[in-house]
Amino acid sequence: MVVYKVVEVNPVTEELLEETLNVWTAKGWHFDGMQFVTRESSRRPSMAFVIFTREQEGA
């Protein structure tokens, strides 16, 4: 069975996104996707959700 992990990144910077990807993939999670949240007044994302998956142990 696949389990999901969603990590909120705020503020959105290149360094924080890289750190999030490196930390969670090192823990055995697989990167699945990324969603950005923007405001109408700015094209720069105000936050991001990084999505990871892995197989549940014992499944």
Side-chain angles (χ1 to χ4, degrees), residues 14-30:
E14 180 180 344
E15 293 80 16
L16 281 175
L17 290 173
E18 284 180 5
E19 179 183 351
T20 301
L21 290 167
N22 290 331
V23 165
W24 289 100
T25 55
K27 293 180 180 183
W29 291 88
H30 301 280

Side-chain angles (χ1 to χ4, degrees), residues 21-40:
L21 290 167
N22 290 331
V23 165
W24 289 100
T25 55
K27 293 180 180 183
W29 291 88
H30 301 280
F31 174 71
D32 189 62
M34 193 176 305
Q35 296 289 317
F36 294 98
V37 177
T38 59
R39 301 188 199 293
E40 286 186 31

Side-chain angles (χ1 to χ4, degrees), residues 24-59:
W24 289 100
T25 55
K27 293 180 180 183
W29 291 88
H30 301 280
F31 174 71
D32 189 62
M34 193 176 305
Q35 296 289 317
F36 294 98
V37 177
T38 59
R39 301 188 199 293
E40 286 186 31
S41 61
S42 174
R43 293 187 352 199
R44 182 155 180 85
S46 58
M47 79 173 57
F49 295 98
V50 186
I51 303 157
F52 299 92
T53 61
R54 73 174 173 193
E55 289 292 323
Q56 183 176 11
E57 296 175 13

